[in-house]
Amino acid sequence: MSEIPYKIYLSENEIPSAWYNVRADMKNKPAPLLNPGTGEPLKAEDLYPIFCEELSKQEMNNTDAYIDIPGEVLDFYKMYRPSPLVRAYCLEKALGTPAHIYYKFEGNNTSGSHKLNSAIAQAYYAKKQGLKGVTTETGAGQWGTALSMATAYFGLDCQVYMVKVSYEQKPFRREVMRTYGATVTPSPSMLTNVGRKINEQFPGTDGSLGCAISEAVEAATTQEGYRYVLGSVLNQVLLHQSVIGLETKAALDKVGVKADMIIGCAGGGSNLGGLISPFVGEMLRGENQYEIIAVEPASCPSFTRGSFVYDFCDTGRVCPLAKMYTLGSNFMPAPNHAGGLRYHGMSTILSQLYDEGYMKARSVKQTDVFAAAEQFARVEGILPAPESSHAIKVAIDEALKCKETGEAKNIVFGLTGTGYFDLVAYQKYNDGVMDDYIPTDEDIAASLAQCPKLG
Amino acid sequence: MSEIPYKIYLSENEIPSAWYNVRADMKNKPAPLLNPGTGEPLKAEDLYPIFCEELSKQEMNNTDAYIDIPGEVLDFYKMYRPSPLVRAYCLEKALGTPAHIYYKFEGNNTSGSHKLNSAIAQAYYAKKQGLKGVTTETGAGQWGTALSMATAYFGLDCQVYMVKVSYEQKPFRREVMRTYGATVTPSPSMLTNVGRKINEQFPGTDGSLGCAISEAVEAATTQEGYRYVLGSVLNQVLLHQSVIGLETKAALDKVGVKADMIIGCAGGGSNLGGLISPFVGEMLRGENQYEIIAVEPASCPSFTRGSFVYDFCDTGRVCPLAKMYTLGSNFMPAPNHAGGLRYHGMSTILSQLYDEGYMKARSVKQTDVFAAAEQFARVEGILPAPESSHAIKVAIDEALKCKETGEAKNIVFGLTGTGYFDLVAYQKYNDGVMDDYIPTDEDIAASLAQCPKLG
């Protein structure tokens, strides 16, 4: 038998004491956020009315390679970290591949995903600034759940605007958030001006993520002692999520394994950016080479079919402009697309790295993703989230290529979370009624045509 | 800071290599199972038509203190074991108690509970005997989910009879089982004689656990190559679950901690029996003393208000008679009782130990249990199963007593699983519409009056 255990655990004192900021090692920094009115680059202070001050500074920090993780955040991390790096012996055997497959499992906490890594940091800085609470939006519900846990821990109020159709179709997500003390409001609501206006214009609307963002931002800026927080896309989020990659690298180093290939699912980029950051750092510094693959849904293919331009971060066009791979801020993936990975754009950091060739991207069809999810669940025991299963699909594809070539590649992928709240989608797959939807070139061109003419 | 980490992990080679059979150290063995027709004690061979041969032998084995865990079961254990023993620093802080609280967390696998420890063993022996598949019943769904994972791993067919009302109200439990390849049939069904008969007698019935057991047993004994398997109550199940207690003891020894008090929830006894077995072994051999508390729901109080007599194991009265603490095989807890812990009797091993004073028992009200669950979730991050939360409730009570007395007791409890599939109950609690139901003395006396006059 191999000496490498099924689960490679670090000890608690091997949790990283600092987050890694990959921007410090990037020769070409991500393009700055722009004021949507003036087109001028934003400064940290410009973000203070919306975000906590410390988080605004992290958002703009392109120079410090390491930022200390506060002790209180580290204490919370100890409740569920280090997360295991698992050697997928059973999957390898089932595939008959000579490849060695590893996955970093971030679903080992009640929120069920990696989102908690940034939620607890954002809640900590809100508490430190003396705020009463935070507001946010949630669609699929992973982020809202993580934030509720984090704010409960620090005794902060948490107001979640949940897209109305999700609020009604995912009552269990809603109930977990309530159990953690959050107020969950279906959006559009009658609590905000923007919500009332949309309800008036579109009576009986199901809501959208864009609308929920607008309501959460309004709620943050009109209540004393509140700020808005976000679970993906932002530089600060990728910074916090670097704990995933740092632990993965430490665990691989511990057993003397060099990754050949690193695979992660990509929606806004929070997981992928966190997972790959220390590895990309080595590439940027010329120390090492890795093959990195971002996997996105064929229904929302921002890397593989989008353009690298300045665009609005939200459908409502109230947020700053960011230069990113985007499908256009009006782009909406098909409603039958299950789970997250629905964002029209991609983290500016990842967009810059992709543009410079530091990673590849691949898009995969939904039914193929669920087939891979089920195959994985049956041999590895974990019921994966649909988001994570995008990475599983490509990891299996690559392991099967190794079977053909006889290569014993070390394949590492990010298993971002569990699928307990996605069983409606599993049911559709089990019943054989799950659709694959792929947008036409015309759909994407029409949406991209509405991007602002800048950059 | 203390030297004890938040999570005390054993390494994979510290997973026990043998289960511990507490019966070997019991001076007074559990009373034998009796043939319901003749009243004669059963032999292992008498069980072969229903259970696998190896499991039938384990059921009757009162002499071997250790039984080797097969290598293939150990390999599966390595996918999710050793499970963490967690020091509940955050709960201690929130309570302001000098007590040191530890919990053994068994929810870290997709089935979400400790049931997998026995499911994989039972599936292994079925595979080894060359069977095609197994049948079982499930109510709340934890056992059916665990068994589906185990049979998927060994490529066995799995037929689950799920109480019809659960099948309809818990579609997500059903979907997980289907994802793992199990056939899930609402009970009463039209697939068995007993099912057809009940459907004819009671058109539109919601079903019951007793009926589902009868259907599963009929399905096992009328199909070539099938046997019936069960997730609690039996001696073989407590044997397999001893892995919980063995790991707990090893982890405590590793950090030099002696438990003062061990607390576990008790329905049929699978978790409690497994958790306490090595500790009770020390008590039986006169090596050590522990205070052991079984916690049961006030709505189904077999230890605290039942009688220690021979009774039927199933409502349908087709299974053997067992001497146990029982409320009578006709006893049904209130339908508003959430989660498991609904069985009318208790493991014969635990019944014998309780009768001899090796443990105490306490019953707790449902709303108090959910209040404890929510308090725990908010500080320790894990959303507990309702079953597990019975133990949490008493652990908190005991820790608060320590606060009054100033004692720094070491309190250990079993956190058997997660509550992802119990959010309907959490919602009732959050909405303030959860009832407490406590059976009257007359209810229990009437049910007990129907026990057979034996023993």
Side-chain angles (χ1 to χ4, degrees):
Chain A
M1 284 299 288
S2 169
E3 286 170 14
I4 295 174
Y6 279 65
K7 297 183 297 304
I8 307 162
Y9 271 111
L10 302 172
S11 65
E12 270 167 27
N13 55 25
E14 291 172 297
I15 297 176
S17 59
W19 293 302
Y20 169 61
N21 181 10
V22 72
R23 286 167 285 167
D25 285 316
M26 289 170 73
K27 194 178 156 196
N28 304 310
K29 309 296 181 192
L33 296 173
L34 303 183
N35 180 313
T38 64
E40 290 298 308
L42 292 173
K43 298 193 197 74
E45 307 87 271
D46 297 327
L47 299 175
Y48 289 176
I50 301 176
F51 298 130
C52 297
E53 294 187 11
E54 201 64 43
L55 293 166
S56 300
K57 287 176 192 162
Q58 290 181 359
E59 192 61 30
M60 299 301 184
N61 187 334
N62 285 339
T63 50
D64 296 323
Y66 287 94
I67 294 176
D68 282 346
I69 302 175
E72 288 183 66
V73 175
L74 264 180
D75 281 347
F76 187 89
Y77 277 173
K78 286 178 186 166
M79 290 205 302
Y80 70 103
R81 306 202 70 85
S83 70
L85 180 72
V86 185
R87 172 77 185 269
Y89 283 116
C90 299
L91 180 62
E92 291 170 18
K93 191 176 159 193
L95 297 173
T97 178
H100 295 187
I101 308 174
Y102 298 84
Y103 55 90
K104 180 69 169 168
F105 181 42
E106 291 289 319
N108 254 355
N109 69 73
T110 282
S111 80
S113 82
H114 68 292
K115 296 283 183 184
L116 195 55
N117 300 328
S118 184
I120 193 64
Q122 296 193 46
Y124 166 77
Y125 290 116
K127 180 75 177 177
K128 196 180 160 204
Q129 194 173 321
L131 299 178
K132 288 183 199 158
V134 293
T135 72
T136 199
E137 78 290 329
T138 201
Q142 283 189 348
W143 168 245
T145 308
L147 188 66
S148 304
M149 287 180 65
T151 50
Y153 184 77
F154 283 122
L156 288 168
D157 187 35
C158 181
Q159 300 175 357
V160 181
Y161 288 85
M162 189 170 185
V163 178
K164 192 183 271 177
V165 62
S166 290
Y167 181 91
E168 284 161 2
Q169 290 182 357
K170 294 197 164 190
F172 293 169
R173 273 283 182 207
R174 183 183 78 206
E175 235 23 70
V176 179
M177 291 184 252
R178 285 182 73 203
T179 298
Y180 281 94
T183 310
V184 188
T185 305
S187 168
S189 75
M190 299 301 279
L191 299 182
T192 64
N193 286 327
V194 63
R196 283 187 290 270
K197 198 169 153 189
I198 291 172
N199 270 316
E200 198 174 298
Q201 283 186 314
F202 308 99
T205 175
D206 278 343
S208 71
L209 205 55
C211 168
I213 292 176
S214 305
E215 285 204 87
V217 171
E218 181 184 322
T221 50
T222 54
Q223 292 176 95
E224 184 71 27
Y226 282 77
R227 292 294 184 280
Y228 170 71
V229 295
L230 187 64
S232 191
V233 185
L234 298 175
N235 297 338
Q236 59 188 268
V237 175
L238 268 71
L239 174 71
H240 306 148
Q241 295 295 358
S242 69
V243 70
I244 304 173
L246 292 166
E247 283 187 9
T248 301
K249 179 128 184 33
L252 288 171
D253 288 349
K254 201 167 187 173
V255 292
V257 170
K258 153 90 171 56
D260 294 306
M261 179 177 279
I262 303 163
I263 301 167
C265 62
S270 68
N271 156 67
L272 181 69
L275 174 65
I276 66 173
S277 58
F279 300 96
V280 168
E282 290 187 344
M283 292 170 79
L284 290 163
R285 296 189 303 270
E287 298 164 3
N288 234 327
Q289 279 302 314
Y290 302 96
E291 189 176 354
I292 295 174
I293 306 178
V295 191
E296 55 186 20
S299 60
C300 192
S302 41
F303 266 149
T304 50
R305 298 177 66 196
S307 295
F308 188 36
V309 296
Y310 265 104
D311 192 12
F312 290 96
C313 290
D314 63 322
T315 316
R317 301 187 163 207
V318 297
C319 294
L321 297 169
K323 189 176 177 194
M324 56 186 177
Y325 276 85
T326 178
L327 297 162
S329 64
N330 291 322
F331 182 83
M332 284 293 290
N336 62 4
H337 172 69
L341 312 183
R342 300 174 66 90
Y343 188 62
H344 66 276
M346 185 61 71
S347 143
T348 58
I349 294 174
L350 294 183
S351 293
Q352 184 64 36
L353 291 170
Y354 179 65
D355 194 56
E356 294 184 39
Y358 285 100
M359 67 178 87
K360 302 172 187 171
R362 209 171 289 175
S363 75
V364 288
K365 285 195 299 180
Q366 180 158 262
T367 49
D368 292 341
V369 165
F370 274 82
E374 194 158 290
Q375 182 176 18
F376 179 84
R378 290 189 187 184
V379 293
E380 287 290 321
I382 295 169
L383 185 79
E387 294 85 351
S388 325
S389 305
H390 288 70
I392 295 174
K393 163 64 181 154
V394 170
I396 289 175
D397 287 348
E398 291 297 323
L400 291 175
K401 281 185 202 165
C402 288
K403 190 177 179 177
E404 283 178 24
T405 62
E407 287 173 286
K409 280 190 189 173
N410 291 315
I411 299 174
V412 177
F413 73 89
L415 189 71
T416 58
T418 50
Y420 294 112
F421 294 102
D422 301 288
L423 284 160
V424 170
Y426 273 97
Q427 181 169 9
K428 278 187 190 158
Y429 176 74
N430 290 333
D431 289 341
V433 298
M434 175 170 273
D435 290 327
D436 285 313
Y437 167 82
I438 300 173
T440 65
D441 289 342
E442 291 70 27
D443 291 339
I444 293 175
S447 175
L448 278 173
Q450 298 184 40
C451 291
K453 308 301 171 214
L454 279 170
Chain B
M1 283 297 291
S2 168
E3 288 171 13
I4 295 174
Y6 279 65
K7 296 183 299 304
I8 307 163
Y9 272 110
L10 301 173
S11 66
E12 269 166 28
N13 56 25
E14 292 172 296
I15 295 178
S17 58
W19 293 302
Y20 169 61
N21 181 10
V22 71
R23 286 167 285 167
D25 285 317
M26 290 171 72
K27 194 178 157 197
N28 304 309
K29 308 297 181 192
L33 296 174
L34 302 183
N35 181 314
T38 64
E40 290 298 308
L42 293 174
K43 298 193 197 72
E45 307 87 271
D46 298 326
L47 299 175
Y48 289 176
I50 302 176
F51 298 129
C52 296
E53 294 187 12
E54 201 63 44
L55 292 167
S56 301
K57 287 175 193 162
Q58 291 180 0
E59 192 63 28
M60 298 300 184
N61 187 334
N62 285 339
T63 49
D64 297 323
Y66 288 93
I67 293 175
D68 282 347
I69 302 176
E72 290 183 65
V73 175
L74 264 181
D75 280 348
F76 187 89
Y77 278 174
K78 285 178 187 167
M79 290 204 301
Y80 70 102
R81 306 202 69 84
S83 70
L85 181 72
V86 185
R87 172 75 185 270
Y89 283 116
C90 298
L91 180 62
E92 291 170 18
K93 192 176 159 195
L95 297 174
T97 178
H100 295 187
I101 307 174
Y102 299 83
Y103 56 90
K104 180 69 169 169
F105 181 43
E106 292 289 320
N108 255 355
N109 69 73
T110 282
S111 82
S113 82
H114 68 292
K115 296 283 184 185
L116 195 55
N117 300 328
S118 184
I120 193 63
Q122 296 193 46
Y124 166 78
Y125 290 116
K127 181 75 177 177
K128 196 181 159 203
Q129 194 173 321
L131 299 179
K132 289 183 200 159
V134 293
T135 73
T136 199
E137 78 290 328
T138 201
Q142 282 189 347
W143 168 246
T145 309
L147 188 66
S148 305
M149 288 180 65
T151 50
Y153 184 77
F154 283 122
L156 288 168
D157 186 36
C158 181
Q159 301 175 356
V160 181
Y161 288 85
M162 189 171 186
V163 178
K164 192 182 271 178
V165 61
S166 291
Y167 181 91
E168 285 161 2
Q169 290 181 356
K170 294 196 163 188
F172 292 169
R173 273 283 181 207
R174 183 183 77 205
E175 239 17 74
V176 179
M177 291 184 252
R178 285 181 72 201
T179 297
Y180 280 95
T183 310
V184 188
T185 305
S187 168
S189 75
M190 298 303 278
L191 300 182
T192 64
N193 287 327
V194 63
R196 284 187 289 270
K197 199 168 152 188
I198 291 173
N199 270 316
E200 198 174 298
Q201 282 186 314
F202 308 99
T205 174
D206 278 344
S208 71
L209 206 55
C211 168
I213 292 176
S214 305
E215 286 204 87
V217 171
E218 182 183 323
T221 51
T222 54
Q223 290 176 96
E224 185 70 28
Y226 282 77
R227 291 294 184 280
Y228 169 70
V229 295
L230 186 65
S232 190
V233 184
L234 298 175
N235 297 339
Q236 58 188 267
V237 176
L238 269 71
L239 174 71
H240 306 149
Q241 294 295 358
S242 69
V243 70
I244 304 173
L246 292 166
E247 281 187 11
T248 302
K249 179 130 185 28
L252 288 170
D253 288 349
K254 201 167 188 172
V255 293
V257 170
K258 153 90 171 59
D260 294 306
M261 180 177 280
I262 303 162
I263 301 167
C265 62
S270 68
N271 156 67
L272 182 70
L275 174 65
I276 67 173
S277 58
F279 300 96
V280 169
E282 290 188 345
M283 293 170 78
L284 289 163
R285 298 189 302 269
E287 297 165 5
N288 233 327
Q289 278 301 315
Y290 301 97
E291 189 175 354
I292 295 174
I293 306 178
V295 191
E296 55 187 19
S299 60
C300 192
S302 40
F303 266 151
T304 50
R305 296 177 66 196
S307 295
F308 187 36
V309 296
Y310 265 104
D311 193 11
F312 290 95
C313 290
D314 63 321
T315 316
R317 301 187 163 207
V318 296
C319 293
L321 297 170
K323 190 176 176 193
M324 56 185 177
Y325 276 85
T326 178
L327 297 161
S329 63
N330 291 321
F331 182 84
M332 286 292 291
N336 62 5
H337 172 68
L341 310 184
R342 301 174 67 91
Y343 188 62
H344 67 274
M346 185 62 69
S347 144
T348 58
I349 294 174
L350 293 184
S351 294
Q352 184 65 36
L353 292 170
Y354 179 65
D355 195 56
E356 294 183 39
Y358 285 100
M359 67 178 86
K360 303 172 187 171
R362 210 172 287 175
S363 75
V364 289
K365 284 196 299 182
Q366 180 157 262
T367 50
D368 292 341
V369 165
F370 274 80
E374 194 158 292
Q375 181 176 17
F376 179 84
R378 290 188 186 186
V379 293
E380 287 289 323
I382 295 170
L383 184 79
E387 295 84 351
S388 326
S389 305
H390 288 70
I392 295 174
K393 163 65 181 155
V394 170
I396 290 175
D397 287 349
E398 292 297 323
L400 292 175
K401 281 185 202 164
C402 287
K403 191 177 179 178
E404 283 179 25
T405 63
E407 288 172 284
K409 280 189 187 173
N410 291 316
I411 299 174
V412 177
F413 72 90
L415 190 71
T416 58
T418 50
Y420 294 112
F421 294 101
D422 301 287
L423 284 159
V424 170
Y426 272 97
Q427 181 170 8
K428 279 187 189 158
Y429 176 74
N430 290 333
D431 288 341
V433 297
M434 175 171 273
D435 289 328
D436 285 312
Y437 167 83
I438 300 174
T440 65
D441 289 341
E442 291 70 28
D443 291 339
I444 293 174
S447 175
L448 278 172
Q450 297 184 41
C451 291
K453 307 303 171 212
L454 280 169

